Amino acid sequence: MYTQGLDQKESAGKRPVDAVEAAEQLQAFQARIDAEEKIEAKDWMPEAYRRTLIRQISQHAHSEIIGMQPEGNWLTRAPSLKRKAILLAKVQDEAGHGLYLYSAAETLGVSRDQMVADLLSGKAKYSSIFNYPTVSWADIGAIGWLVDGAAIMNQIPLCRCSYGPYARAMVRVCKEESFHQRQGFDIMLELSRGSPRQKAMAQDALNRWWWPSLMMFGPNDSESKHSAQSMAWKIKRFSNDELRQKFVDVTVPQADFLGLRMPDEALRFDADAGHYRFGEIDWQELFDVIAGNGPCNKQRLEKRQQAHDDGAWVREAAQAYANKAAAAAA
Amino acid sequence: MNAEQTLIDYTLRLADNALILGQRMVENVAAWPELEEELANANFALDFLGQARMLYSYAGELEGKGRSEDDFAYLRDEHEFRNVLLLEQPNGHFGDALVRQYLFEAAYVHILGALVECRDEQLSAIAARAIKEVQYHVRHTSKWLIRLGDGTELSQTRVQQSLHDVWRFTGELFAADDIDIAFQETFGGPDLSAVAALWRTDVAAVVSEATLVLPDDEWMATGGKQGRHSEHLGYLLAEMQYLPRSHAGATW
């Protein structure tokens, strides 16, 4: 309701008048990218660059908002007041990240209302990982450790993304994500050093979250349809497979430290390459979850829709009050 | 009642109020009408959790039996909780939750104002910190009450009903019992009749600006401060306490 005016059908800036001018404009744009200049909201940009960013930033924002649900699921049951407060601060950060990211996307000429409508209609996607259930307290640890750990791998390079408003939003997001990752690891550490039941809870969570975390990096490079252009535009800096490998290399020793076992029989250290080699990812599972057939897709969207519908009368009242106040002031 | 016990009992009441309201607010995470309100709700709930933790820790210190903040929150039964009934009432819709919070905090802010001046140094310090948070909450919730009251016909009807529904729990906020009186006499704690007068003036002004009607004072429910609760508290505690209780002695 606050941002309708932002919806634009046409891109901002001057439109090229002929093919030669268009080619020159495109070349000048790429030269700026190659020189590591930041592109700002009012600068000319190719329509495809704008669309790619809107898709990526809004998906990221939606993931933050939907991600509040699996973690919020344990807020009322967090096992100590300290853990409850930390988890609540984390969930609040996620709402905050959603807010900066929607704002960053709005600079590209799309309103938050439109983005939310696209989320609710199923047109826009969010990270597949949030379609898995949090069935035990250890899942909160696993999400922080693995999911936020994977997110950081993806997001740190985004702090250098060519689009200025996104890059700046990501600097703040990444600082907070790093705290989230540590709190997740800390939960896992406490559980893995706790009673046999607590340790079993931690192992069970790792078993369920490990593979979906690897899927968070997206399809293999050979299958990734947006990668090459995003790399050329410096929206993306590393390939899916590079980031996934980096995540595995960092995370396996952490599991060893926790005394937990990765649920992958094929996992081994390749001393020559200096990397952990891991088993085949079940891509069908990822495609199923993306297509809407994960364990919680329906539940997550229904809850978001419910909150949106339940809040309609409140938003309408706020708008009506603001209109009255504006009329009185005029 | 000795002074030490009065201080412990009084501190636990404050702590229980903060925890139970915080827990109710946490139930609303990811369900609020607008992202900005999600942030506000989580932020305010965090303030209450923070207050509860400081107060429980202090009560544990005073008691000297080695009870931690978590022992108070997770290992006590319904009848040992001393929160007012208003705060354990189920959330309802946005307007219900808002009215519950506003009516409580409109009193709490004056209670904290008196506590800042009380003769117990630690409680005064906790109150000095909490009052800044609560003043901000009251600004926020009173503005929302005005928006909903003076918004649409539907919002006015709904929030007026919210006021009616919880009004009967407001009397307990000011019903002074032996602990309140002893705390006032021994430690210079709040005079609840003075708080009631301030509360009524503030609430009447906001309700009037919201174009709403102040409900009549009829029968008032009491008992929470003495550990006699509504059925709702048991479910809240069952959910909140289940993990530490099913893993006795575990650390988290």
Side-chain angles (χ1 to χ4, degrees), chain B residues 36-123:
Chain B
E36 285 80 356
E37 289 315 299
E38 280 291 355
L39 281 162
N41 178 61
N43 201 11
F44 296 171
L46 261 176
D47 289 341
F48 284 120
L49 274 178
Q51 292 169 24
R53 294 182 63 194
M54 286 187 285
L55 291 160
Y56 284 135
S57 297
Y58 183 45
E61 226 173 86
L62 290 168
E63 190 187 52
K65 292 180 186 166
R67 279 208 277 184
S68 68
E69 58 179 42
D70 288 334
D71 292 333
F72 285 111
Y74 290 92
L75 301 178
R76 284 182 305 151
D77 295 334
E78 286 86 331
H79 69 93
E80 295 171 281
F81 276 78
R82 295 290 189 265
N83 57 286
V84 291
L85 297 173
L86 174 66
L87 303 179
E88 70 200 43
Q89 299 311 304
N91 283 326
H93 56 57
F94 180 82
D96 293 332
L98 175 82
V99 164
R100 179 187 60 199
Q101 190 187 339
Y102 170 69
L103 292 176
F104 169 69
E105 291 204 271
Y108 188 36
V109 75
H110 293 302
I111 290 171
L112 289 171
L115 288 176
V116 171
E117 307 297 330
C118 83
R119 285 192 284 276
D120 183 72
E121 207 175 304
Q122 183 63 20
L123 216 45

Side-chain angles (χ1 to χ4, degrees), chain A residues 63-78 83-84 86-95 129-130 132-134 136-137 139-145 147-148 177 180-181 183-184 187 209 300, chain B residues 26 29-30:
Chain A
S63 301
E64 299 282 355
I65 301 306
I66 297 290
M68 292 167 72
Q69 289 184 38
E71 295 189 273
N73 184 40
W74 279 90
L75 274 174
T76 56
R77 295 177 291 168
R83 292 287 182 205
K84 192 192 285 287
I86 292 172
L87 183 59
L88 183 53
K90 178 175 193 278
V91 173
Q92 188 196 13
D93 284 348
E94 278 149 17
I129 197 80
F130 299 119
Y132 290 88
T134 50
S136 82
W137 169 250
D139 291 29
I140 299 305
I143 287 186
W145 174 36
V147 174
D148 292 324
E177 290 295 350
H180 297 173
Q181 200 267 348
Q183 70 86 36
I187 290 174
W209 289 92
R300 300 284 185 246
Chain B
V26 152
V29 166

Side-chain angles (χ1 to χ4, degrees), chain A residues 76 78 83-84 112 197 315, chain B residues 23 33 36 74 239 252:
Chain A
T76 56
R83 292 287 182 205
K84 192 192 285 287
R112 199 207 300 181
R197 279 175 71 204
R315 294 190 297 274
Chain B
Q23 177 74 3
E36 285 80 356
Y74 290 92
E239 184 173 352
W252 300 94

Side-chain angles (χ1 to χ4, degrees), chain A residues 284-304:
Chain A
Q284 192 55 48
E285 179 179 324
L286 175 65
F287 300 140
D288 284 345
V289 176
I290 290 175
N293 299 319
C296 298
N297 297 56
K298 189 166 178 292
Q299 176 188 334
R300 300 284 185 246
L301 267 188
E302 278 175 0
K303 166 134 187 175
R304 189 88 292 278

Side-chain angles (χ1 to χ4, degrees), chain A residues 40-66:
Chain A
E40 297 299 335
K42 289 182 177 166
D43 297 347
W44 182 86
M45 62 186 80
E47 206 41 45
Y49 177 84
R50 179 188 303 277
R51 279 199 308 273
T52 299
L53 279 167
I54 289 176
R55 193 192 65 243
Q56 183 171 333
I57 301 172
S58 66
Q59 271 184 17
H60 189 170
H62 299 328
S63 301
E64 299 282 355
I65 301 306
I66 297 290

